[in-house]
């Protein structure tokens, strides 16, 4: 599928935002789903790269928020407005939203914020939703999307490892503190970020009996369930991140093997 | 193939031009295919995964993920990594097992007008025989492709397809277990590919397909760890095409049974190269990941090439490399 690049902005440092015209993805995407992007036209890099759908706009555009980490993302950052992006999506299973729950805790580590903004938009369609964001990163430059969450009236908690913004420390520590004086039960937790962070979030949520969904990452070959390259160990054997996930119930994941 | 009559006007005068659609059909191992484009095992799942992207009826044949007699869990992750113009994989032959395949997947495939070829493997000769017997005479299965690039646990993990004696034993055993057309899928990790092509022919196989992946490795220099949990993996994609092409050329000179070319085919031009050196069909692997419509694009590209060169039949290019 082709999708025209309508804008491509460098936010701060290695972070970019790509806006694509894609009525198909706009119409079908659910929060937590992803798309496979062809970042170049030659055979190197060869494989498509997976990116979460970050946002949908009423003008049938979608946005992707990404960080340059290697060859593919560096090449992606050179694509200019007006060009067509070769994209497949939406793919995978997104977050499950339980309509009975009104209290939502979203926890992101760094670029893990990308799928959570789309989720927050979807959650906020229910006017009774209360959204709390926990966002952690290394440095203040890695803290993204705060304005968007403010517009959604989310309660925002920030931590950075170097203390340059918010509380110094890990976001899981901040989450743990908040759990101490929590007595409400109807809460759902959604998280995306590095595996070590997710493992800790799962542990904390499980200890309080809170339902917790995590969005996992894996190297992907096909993105559509055909190559079996993207598996993670689940309680019932290997699960494909691309078609069984990328969002999993945290209880289904074999955390010791991740 | 059908004749298309095109009417057009030249200087006001109505002329009739007959455009013949070239005939792409080939017969491999007794399997009549509408065109020479097949999918490569392990890159096309159980087939249905690609139905949203292409019309499966267009394919010459679909070769599915390798099946064993019993389900296999496969290797721990990470199982794949990208390398320059290629990728390494060590999936470890994860599959649902032959019985589950027949029950759960085959019914979904029967409705398509294409040929279903099952890729099979085992850890020992009796296991190869067992899976071949399970699949023999099952409605909807046109042929078997025998993957001999597997370690033989009875012989200390030595790969069947790299030892002439075991290769011959396993192929003969499968031949005796089934009446289905048999394609021997050869490993490229050998000194002389023609030895193994001849063994396949002598064992009664009806065709050979090559190449399977080349054994490779990659290391992350930051962590100093191998990129794959399995340490080594199979290299596929454009990076292996010249090696594959050379081996297909050598094999097709060495045997009379048809040769199916595999390895780094991304475009119709790549496929035509394989046909020119003697392949009577081609399999498309890694290209499906990059471009899910690759197979159909390649069929259309071959057709265009024939039309452009005023050729009416695919057989007019097979083996016609000028040396
Ligand atoms: C379902 C899913 C959704 C994703 N969504 C997003 C998203 O919204 N935004 C985004 O920026 N990324 C996202 N990613 C990660 C993104 O796919 C990778 O960052 C990208 O594929 C890296 O490609 P590359 O060629 O630049 O790096 P490569 O050359 O493949 O890798 C370069 C180095 O970076 C490391 N690396 C690879 N992936 C990551 C990673 N995720 N984080 C840190 N280091 C990595 C590699 O191990 C390697 O050492 C997602 C991944 C998945 C599976
Ligand atoms: C992810 C992956 C899984 C594969 N699984 C199998 C398999 O189960 N059986 C088999 O015979 N070959 C398997 N192969 C090999 C391919 O069928 C093919 O021979 C090889 O990839 C070379 O072709 P390509 O360069 O077009 O991919 C696999 C290849 C890949 C990339
Ligand atoms: S990426 Fe191929 S199966 Fe998930």
């Amino acid at each position: 599928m082709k999708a025209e690049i309508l804008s491509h902005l460098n936010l701060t440092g290695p972070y970019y935002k790509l806006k694509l015209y894609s009525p198909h993805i706009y119409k079908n995407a659910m929060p937590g789903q992803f798309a496979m992007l062809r970042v170049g036209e030659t055979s190197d890099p060869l494989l498509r790269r997976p990116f979460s759908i970050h946002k949908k706009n009423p003008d049938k555009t979608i946005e992707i928020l990404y960080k340059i980490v290697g060859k593919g993302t560096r090449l992606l950052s050179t694509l200019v407005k007006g060009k067509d992006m070769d994209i497949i999506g939406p793919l995978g299973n997104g977050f499950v939203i339980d309509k009975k729950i009104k209290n939502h805790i979203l926890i992101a580590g760094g670029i893990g914020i990308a799928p959570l903004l789309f989720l927050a938009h979807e959650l906020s369609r229910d006017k009774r939703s209360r959204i709390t964001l926990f966002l952690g990163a290394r440095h203040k430059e890695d803290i993204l999307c705060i304005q968007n969450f403010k517009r959604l009236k989310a309660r925002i908690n920030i931590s950075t490892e170097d203390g340059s913004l918010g509380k110094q420390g890990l976001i899981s520590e901040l989450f743990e503190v908040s759990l101490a004086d929590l007595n409400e039960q109807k809460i759902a937790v959604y998280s995306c970020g590095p595996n070590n962070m997710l493992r800790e979030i799962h542990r904390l949520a499980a200890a309080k009996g809170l339902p917790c969904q995590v969005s996992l990452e894996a190297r992907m070959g096909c993105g559509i369930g055909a190559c079996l390259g993207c598996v993670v160990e689940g309680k019932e054997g290997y699960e494909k991140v691309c078609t069984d996930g990328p969002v999993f119930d945290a209880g289904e994941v074999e955390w010791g093997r991740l | 193939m059908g004749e298309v009559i095109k009417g057009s006007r030249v200087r006001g005068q109505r002329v009739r031009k007959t455009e013949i659609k070239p005939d792409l059909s080939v017969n491999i191992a007794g399997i009549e295919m509408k065109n020479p484009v097949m999918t490569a095992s392990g890159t096309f799942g159980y087939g249905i995964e690609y139905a949203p992207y292409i019309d499966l009826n267009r394919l010459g044949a679909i070769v599915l993920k390798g099946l064993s007699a019993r389900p296999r869990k496969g290797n721990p992750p990470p199982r794949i990594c990208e390398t320059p113009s290629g990728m390494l994989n060590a999936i470890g032959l994860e599959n649902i097992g032959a019985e589950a395949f027949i029950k759960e997947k085959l019914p979904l495939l029967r409705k398509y007008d294409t040929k279903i070829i099952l890729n099979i493997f085992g850890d020992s000769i009796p296991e190869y025989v067992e899976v071949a017997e399970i699949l023999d005479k099952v409605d909807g299965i046109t042929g078997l492709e025998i993957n001999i690039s597997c370690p033989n646990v009875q012989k200390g993990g030595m790969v069947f397809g790299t030892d002439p004696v075991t290769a011959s034993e396993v192929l003969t055993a499968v031949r005796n277990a089934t009446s289905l057309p048999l394609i021997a899928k050869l490993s490229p990790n050998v000194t002389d590919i023609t030895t193994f092509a001849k063994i396949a022919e002598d064992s009664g196989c009806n065709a050979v397909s090559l190449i399977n992946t080349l054994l490779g490795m990659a290391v992350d220099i930051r962590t100093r760890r191998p990129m794959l949990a399995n340490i080594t993996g199979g290299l596929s994609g454009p990076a292996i095409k010249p090696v594959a092409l050379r081996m297909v050329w050598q094999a097709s000179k060495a045997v009379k049974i048809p040769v199916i070319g595999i390895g780094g085919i991304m475009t119709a031009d790549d496929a035509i190269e394989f046909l020119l050196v003697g392949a009577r069909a081609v399999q498309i692997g890694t290209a499906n990941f990059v471009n899910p419509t690759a197979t159909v694009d390649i069929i259309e590209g071959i057709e265009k090439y024939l039309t452009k060169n005023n050729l009416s039949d695919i057989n007019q290019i097979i083996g016609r490399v000028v040396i």
Side-chain angles (χ1 to χ4, degrees):
Chain A
M1 247 188 309
K2 301 273 181 236
E4 191 187 336
I5 301 177
L6 296 183
S7 72
H8 198 171
L9 302 174
N10 184 196
L11 302 176
T12 61
Y15 298 100
Y16 285 76
K17 192 150 79 179
L18 183 63
K19 188 190 257 190
L20 303 169
Y21 179 70
S22 177
H24 175 77
I25 299 181
Y26 168 78
K27 185 162 158 249
N28 297 294
M30 298 299 292
Q33 287 191 297
F34 67 100
M36 293 291 277
L37 269 62
R38 183 103 198 260
V39 297
E41 285 170 6
T42 66
S43 64
D44 190 17
L46 179 66
L47 300 170
R48 289 171 184 268
R49 298 292 194 265
F51 295 94
S52 302
I53 295 157
H54 175 56
K55 197 165 179 284
K56 291 204 299 195
N57 302 305
D59 58 354
K60 300 194 164 75
T61 59
I62 58 154
E63 292 174 29
I64 282 169
L65 177 72
Y66 69 93
K67 179 183 184 182
I68 296 183
V69 297
K71 191 151 62 174
T73 40
R74 183 161 306 111
L75 192 64
L76 176 61
S77 74
T78 64
L79 299 182
V80 294
K81 185 173 135 178
K83 277 216 163 199
D84 273 345
M85 182 81 209
D86 184 344
I87 184 169
I88 303 173
L91 300 167
N93 293 313
F95 292 101
V96 175
I97 299 175
D98 180 345
K99 292 238 159 63
K100 292 194 291 291
I101 296 179
K102 304 296 168 202
N103 230 329
H104 306 281
I105 300 182
L106 281 54
I107 310 173
I111 190 67
I113 193 71
L116 297 187
L117 181 65
F118 184 8
L119 174 67
H121 274 283
E122 198 64 29
L123 292 171
S124 66
R125 283 159 51 141
D126 181 341
K127 294 294 164 242
R128 289 162 302 174
S129 282
R130 265 178 305 155
I131 299 171
T132 306
L133 174 72
F134 286 86
L135 175 55
R138 259 200 205 120
H139 181 71
K140 69 169 190 253
E141 202 188 51
D142 306 308
I143 296 288
L144 304 168
C145 305
I146 290 306
Q147 290 310 323
N148 302 74
F149 278 89
K150 276 191 182 154
R151 258 176 253 133
L152 295 174
K153 306 208 164 38
R155 278 180 288 179
I156 299 172
N157 306 279
I158 294 172
S159 74
T160 50
E161 284 171 40
D162 64 0
S164 54
L165 192 68
K167 191 129 176 91
Q168 187 185 351
L170 299 175
I171 199 64
S172 51
E173 295 163 0
L174 212 55
F175 174 55
E176 185 170 12
V177 172
S178 82
L179 282 177
D181 43 40
L182 186 105
N183 34 36
E184 207 195 324
Q185 278 305 312
K186 285 211 151 186
I187 297 176
V189 178
Y190 314 81
S191 191
C192 182
N195 287 344
N196 286 338
M197 176 198 115
L198 296 179
R199 185 183 295 114
E200 192 58 13
I201 300 299
H202 159 63
R203 192 182 64 80
L204 296 168
K208 278 271 178 183
L210 303 178
C212 175
Q213 297 174 60
V214 292
S215 177
L216 298 182
E217 285 192 3
R219 289 186 211 144
M220 288 188 180
C222 65
I224 61 171
C227 73
L228 309 180
C230 64
V231 299
V232 293
E233 181 116 28
K235 292 274 188 260
E236 286 165 26
Y238 288 128
E239 307 263 7
K240 286 171 273 189
V241 170
C242 67
T243 49
D244 299 323
V247 177
F248 291 92
D249 193 301
E252 286 171 17
V253 179
E254 198 59 75
W255 291 98
R257 300 287 190 98
L258 213 61
Chain B
M1 289 273 117
E3 261 186 32
V4 183
I5 312 291
K6 270 197 182 171
S8 61
R9 278 177 188 279
V10 177
R11 283 197 204 132
Q13 196 192 348
R14 197 172 165 79
V15 295
R16 295 197 104 183
K17 191 172 152 219
T18 315
E19 202 179 89
I20 315 262
K21 263 201 157 203
D23 184 354
L24 292 194
S25 65
V26 293
N27 182 319
I28 299 279
I31 302 167
E32 290 284 352
M33 304 197 300
K34 57 181 88 165
N35 62 60
V37 177
M38 316 164 71
T39 62
S41 176
T43 65
F44 211 68
Y46 295 112
I48 316 115
E49 291 86 347
Y50 280 87
Y53 303 97
I54 58 166
D55 177 3
L56 299 177
N57 297 303
R58 305 264 320 257
L59 301 175
I62 300 180
V63 184
L64 299 164
K65 177 70 194 163
L67 286 173
S68 44
R70 274 160 292 279
R72 290 257 293 217
K73 189 165 183 230
N75 288 329
R79 289 175 168 186
I80 57 172
C81 87
E82 190 169 313
T83 55
S85 297
M87 65 178 283
L88 289 170
N89 89 79
I91 308 297
L93 296 164
E94 174 178 344
N95 77 97
I96 58 175
E99 311 265 10
F101 171 80
I102 294 171
K103 233 189 274 146
E104 295 163 25
K105 307 289 182 183
L106 190 58
L108 305 173
L109 289 165
R110 281 200 189 103
K111 66 171 190 227
Y112 294 103
D113 174 25
T114 181
K115 306 293 180 192
I116 304 299
I117 296 173
L118 298 185
N119 180 286
I120 59 164
F121 72 93
D123 281 335
S124 63
I125 292 176
E127 278 199 33
Y128 273 93
V129 169
E130 192 181 348
V131 63
E133 281 171 346
I134 295 171
L135 299 170
D136 191 38
K137 304 204 177 72
V138 174
D139 179 41
I141 300 175
T142 321
L144 300 182
E145 180 180 64
I146 314 163
N147 174 8
I148 54 172
S149 301
C150 305
N152 181 352
V153 288
Q154 292 180 332
K155 287 215 174 155
M158 193 219 286
V159 174
F160 287 96
T162 59
D163 172 51
V165 177
T166 7
S168 169
E169 281 170 6
V170 71
L171 294 174
T172 308
V174 175
R175 175 71 291 170
N176 293 333
T178 172
S179 52
L180 284 170
L182 288 184
I183 303 165
K185 181 160 179 184
L186 305 184
S187 165
N189 304 309
V190 296
T191 315
D192 182 2
I193 196 75
T194 64
T195 308
F196 293 87
K198 285 184 201 140
I199 287 170
E201 185 168 47
D202 294 341
S203 308
C205 291
N206 309 89
V208 287
S209 59
L210 62 151
I211 60 176
N212 209 319
T213 53
L214 285 157
L215 201 55
M217 184 171 173
V219 174
D220 182 339
I221 62 165
R222 286 176 306 173
T223 60
R224 301 188 186 177
R225 285 168 185 270
M227 293 291 280
L228 302 176
N230 189 56
I231 306 176
T232 61
L235 183 63
S236 66
I240 71 169
K241 198 191 88 181
V243 177
L245 196 69
R246 183 262 297 172
M247 289 192 169
V248 166
W249 177 63
Q250 290 176 321
S252 50
K253 285 191 302 177
V255 292
K256 293 196 189 63
I257 53 175
V259 175
I260 301 169
I262 322 169
I265 301 176
M266 306 299 284
T267 62
D269 289 8
D270 295 334
I272 292 163
E273 273 190 78
F274 278 85
L275 296 169
L276 285 170
V277 302
R280 274 195 247 171
V282 290
Q283 291 183 8
I284 315 302
T286 304
N288 293 303
F289 304 157
V290 181
N291 171 17
T293 66
T295 45
V296 170
D297 295 349
I298 290 170
I299 296 167
E300 286 170 1
I302 296 174
E303 202 170 273
K304 275 206 194 95
Y305 175 85
L306 293 177
T307 307
K308 205 175 125 208
N309 289 283
N310 283 321
L311 300 171
S312 58
D313 191 324
I314 184 96
N315 287 298
Q316 289 171 294
I317 61 170
I318 292 172
R320 301 296 175 87
V321 62
V322 181
I323 301 218

XYZ file of all heavy atoms in Angstrom, chain A residues 34 45 49-53 64-74 111 114-115 215-220 241 246, chain B residues 220 222 227, ligand 1:
309
model
N 0.054 -1.906 14.806
C 1.245 -1.341 14.187
C 1.170 -1.439 12.667
O 0.219 -2.012 12.112
C 2.503 -2.025 14.724
C 2.636 -3.474 14.322
C 3.463 -3.837 13.262
C 1.936 -4.480 14.978
C 3.600 -5.172 12.878
C 2.056 -5.811 14.604
C 2.885 -6.166 13.548
N 18.616 -1.326 3.846
C 18.035 -2.439 4.591
C 16.951 -3.162 3.795
O 16.256 -2.550 2.997
C 17.448 -1.787 5.830
C 17.483 -0.324 5.624
C 18.281 -0.026 4.424
N 10.232 -2.323 8.643
C 10.375 -2.074 10.065
C 8.997 -1.816 10.679
O 8.174 -1.121 10.089
C 11.269 -0.842 10.305
C 12.715 -0.989 9.776
C 13.485 -2.016 10.575
N 14.919 -1.972 10.335
C 15.575 -2.728 9.460
N 14.915 -3.585 8.702
N 16.883 -2.635 9.338
N 8.755 -2.403 11.870
C 7.458 -2.187 12.522
C 7.409 -0.892 13.336
O 8.360 -0.575 14.053
C 7.356 -3.397 13.460
C 8.769 -3.798 13.749
C 9.624 -3.341 12.605
N 6.297 -0.176 13.220
C 6.081 1.023 14.037
C 4.627 1.078 14.492
O 3.718 0.775 13.716
C 6.408 2.297 13.242
C 7.857 2.393 12.890
C 8.307 1.935 11.662
C 8.780 2.904 13.786
C 9.658 1.982 11.325
C 10.132 2.957 13.458
C 10.574 2.496 12.232
N 4.445 1.482 15.731
C 3.093 1.614 16.277
C 2.376 2.768 15.606
O 3.001 3.741 15.176
C 3.159 1.928 17.763
O 3.857 0.925 18.426
N 1.068 2.664 15.582
C 0.280 3.801 15.123
C 0.126 4.738 16.313
O -0.342 4.348 17.378
C -1.050 3.319 14.534
C -0.692 2.508 13.277
C -1.950 4.490 14.197
C -1.708 1.535 12.861
N 3.142 8.567 12.932
C 4.079 7.610 13.507
C 5.159 8.403 14.217
O 5.685 9.378 13.666
C 4.631 6.693 12.397
C 3.557 5.656 12.092
C 5.946 6.026 12.810
C 3.774 4.843 10.891
N 5.428 8.018 15.453
C 6.449 8.700 16.244
C 7.592 7.712 16.393
O 7.379 6.587 16.837
C 5.872 9.041 17.624
C 6.827 9.702 18.608
C 7.101 11.144 18.191
C 6.231 9.666 20.019
N 8.801 8.122 15.989
C 9.881 7.146 16.083
C 11.196 7.767 16.493
O 11.384 8.981 16.444
C 10.036 6.380 14.759
C 10.569 7.203 13.613
C 11.944 7.248 13.337
C 9.718 7.947 12.808
C 12.440 8.001 12.291
C 10.210 8.702 11.750
C 11.570 8.724 11.499
O 12.064 9.480 10.458
N 12.089 6.867 16.887
C 13.421 7.266 17.333
C 14.445 6.614 16.415
O 14.310 5.431 16.079
C 13.614 6.756 18.765
C 14.968 7.070 19.350
C 15.112 6.460 20.740
C 16.454 6.890 21.327
N 16.698 6.306 22.641
N 15.468 7.356 16.035
C 16.539 6.758 15.238
C 17.392 5.882 16.149
O 17.935 6.363 17.145
C 17.435 7.842 14.582
C 16.619 8.676 13.589
C 18.636 7.202 13.884
C 17.424 9.717 12.839
N 17.457 4.590 15.837
C 18.306 3.677 16.619
C 19.301 2.910 15.753
O 20.205 2.262 16.265
C 17.482 2.648 17.435
C 16.600 3.326 18.462
C 16.649 1.756 16.520
N 19.122 2.948 14.443
C 20.006 2.169 13.570
C 19.830 2.575 12.122
O 19.261 3.626 11.806
N 20.286 1.686 11.258
C 20.318 1.963 9.825
C 18.931 2.272 9.246
O 18.751 3.229 8.501
C 20.913 0.723 9.127
C 21.262 0.930 7.696
C 22.407 0.046 7.224
C 22.132 -1.434 7.307
N 23.201 -2.250 6.711
N 17.964 1.442 9.615
C 16.628 1.588 9.029
C 15.951 2.879 9.442
O 15.404 3.605 8.603
N 15.993 3.169 10.725
C 15.335 4.389 11.189
C 16.092 5.637 10.695
O 15.476 6.667 10.434
C 15.216 4.397 12.727
O 16.412 3.870 13.298
C 14.040 3.533 13.170
N 17.425 5.527 10.524
C 18.165 6.672 9.995
C 17.722 6.951 8.560
O 17.456 8.093 8.186
C 19.673 6.424 10.058
C 20.484 7.630 9.570
C 21.939 7.633 10.030
N 22.049 7.504 11.479
C 22.525 6.432 12.100
N 22.948 5.407 11.405
N 22.587 6.398 13.409
N 10.423 5.940 24.046
C 9.637 5.923 22.814
C 8.386 5.041 22.960
O 7.475 5.085 22.124
C 10.525 5.492 21.621
C 9.818 5.684 20.276
C 11.006 4.053 21.768
C 9.566 7.113 19.906
N 4.752 6.009 22.143
C 4.142 6.101 20.810
C 2.730 5.503 20.719
O 1.800 6.198 20.314
C 5.071 5.485 19.764
N 2.514 4.231 21.102
C 1.150 3.691 20.963
C 0.189 4.212 22.028
O -1.022 4.120 21.863
C 1.357 2.181 21.135
C 2.601 2.039 21.919
C 3.468 3.213 21.570
N 2.671 -3.869 25.611
C 2.975 -3.953 24.182
C 4.440 -4.331 24.047
O 5.317 -3.626 24.525
C 2.702 -2.607 23.510
O 3.055 -2.681 22.154
N 4.698 -5.494 23.431
C 6.068 -6.007 23.336
C 6.688 -5.720 21.974
O 5.989 -5.519 20.981
C 6.072 -7.520 23.576
C 5.587 -8.006 24.941
C 5.716 -9.522 25.022
C 6.355 -7.344 26.080
N 8.020 -5.758 21.967
C 8.749 -5.586 20.714
C 9.520 -6.855 20.393
O 9.915 -7.593 21.291
C 9.749 -4.429 20.822
C 9.078 -3.083 20.767
C 10.074 -1.950 20.589
O 11.284 -2.220 20.457
O 9.623 -0.800 20.598
N 9.732 -7.087 19.108
C 10.581 -8.191 18.661
C 11.054 -7.852 17.261
O 10.398 -7.092 16.553
C 9.806 -9.494 18.638
N 12.182 -8.415 16.874
C 12.612 -8.259 15.478
C 11.586 -8.974 14.614
O 11.175 -10.086 14.936
C 13.967 -8.900 15.263
C 15.078 -8.135 15.924
C 16.426 -8.746 15.548
N 17.344 -8.555 16.642
C 18.265 -9.421 17.008
N 18.410 -10.561 16.350
N 19.055 -9.156 18.022
N 11.190 -8.356 13.547
C 10.161 -8.952 12.709
C 10.635 -9.192 11.293
O 11.330 -8.356 10.716
C 8.933 -8.047 12.675
C 8.175 -8.071 13.982
S 6.626 -7.201 13.830
C 6.002 -7.429 15.497
N 4.734 -12.133 18.229
C 4.461 -10.749 18.606
C 3.584 -10.081 17.538
O 2.703 -9.293 17.847
C 5.769 -9.958 18.832
C 5.495 -8.463 18.994
C 6.497 -10.490 20.068
N 0.968 -7.233 19.086
C 2.058 -6.969 20.045
C 1.570 -6.717 21.461
O 2.365 -6.734 22.384
C 2.734 -5.719 19.476
C 1.683 -5.032 18.670
C 0.799 -6.120 18.127
N 26.648 -8.965 17.562
C 26.411 -7.590 18.006
C 27.678 -7.147 18.732
O 27.994 -7.667 19.806
C 25.200 -7.573 18.944
C 24.852 -6.162 19.421
O 25.742 -5.281 19.368
O 23.713 -5.955 19.851
N 28.374 -4.521 20.324
C 28.219 -3.798 21.589
C 28.087 -4.779 22.749
O 28.714 -4.626 23.790
C 27.001 -2.875 21.543
C 27.238 -1.639 20.685
C 25.979 -0.820 20.601
N 24.843 -1.653 20.140
C 23.596 -1.234 20.103
N 23.293 -0.030 20.507
N 22.646 -2.026 19.655
N 23.940 -12.482 17.258
C 22.641 -11.850 17.050
C 21.492 -12.846 17.218
O 20.367 -12.453 17.484
C 22.566 -11.231 15.655
C 23.503 -10.055 15.442
S 23.012 -8.603 16.395
C 21.703 -7.954 15.350
C 5.189 -3.792 17.306
C 6.331 -2.800 17.328
C 6.041 -1.457 17.373
C 7.088 -0.529 17.365
N 6.772 0.796 17.419
C 7.749 1.712 17.385
C 7.427 3.100 17.400
O 6.262 3.501 17.431
N 8.476 3.985 17.380
C 9.785 3.571 17.320
O 10.667 4.418 17.298
N 10.089 2.276 17.312
C 9.114 1.328 17.332
N 9.458 0.000 17.291
C 10.867 -0.355 17.210
C 11.357 -0.211 15.777
O 10.737 -1.186 14.979
C 12.879 -0.386 15.737
O 13.472 0.686 16.416
C 13.404 -0.403 14.330
O 12.983 -1.558 13.672
C 14.913 -0.350 14.322
O 15.354 -0.404 12.991
P 16.811 0.109 12.588
O 17.104 -0.414 11.246
O 16.906 1.569 12.776
O 17.696 -0.565 13.660
P 18.565 -1.880 13.424
O 19.690 -1.573 12.499
O 17.646 -2.995 13.132
O 19.113 -2.004 14.866
C 20.113 -1.110 15.283
C 20.367 -1.350 16.710
O 19.261 -0.893 17.430
C 18.781 -1.929 18.230
N 17.366 -1.817 18.244
C 16.512 -2.436 17.421
N 15.276 -2.140 17.763
C 15.374 -1.318 18.819
C 14.453 -0.675 19.641
N 13.163 -0.860 19.490
N 14.894 0.123 20.624
C 16.197 0.274 20.811
N 17.116 -0.317 20.076
C 16.702 -1.098 19.121
C 19.206 -3.196 17.576
O 19.327 -4.241 18.519
C 20.523 -2.808 17.011
O 21.554 -2.972 17.920
C 8.441 -0.951 17.308
C 8.717 -2.305 17.262
C 7.691 -3.238 17.269
C 8.005 -4.683 17.206
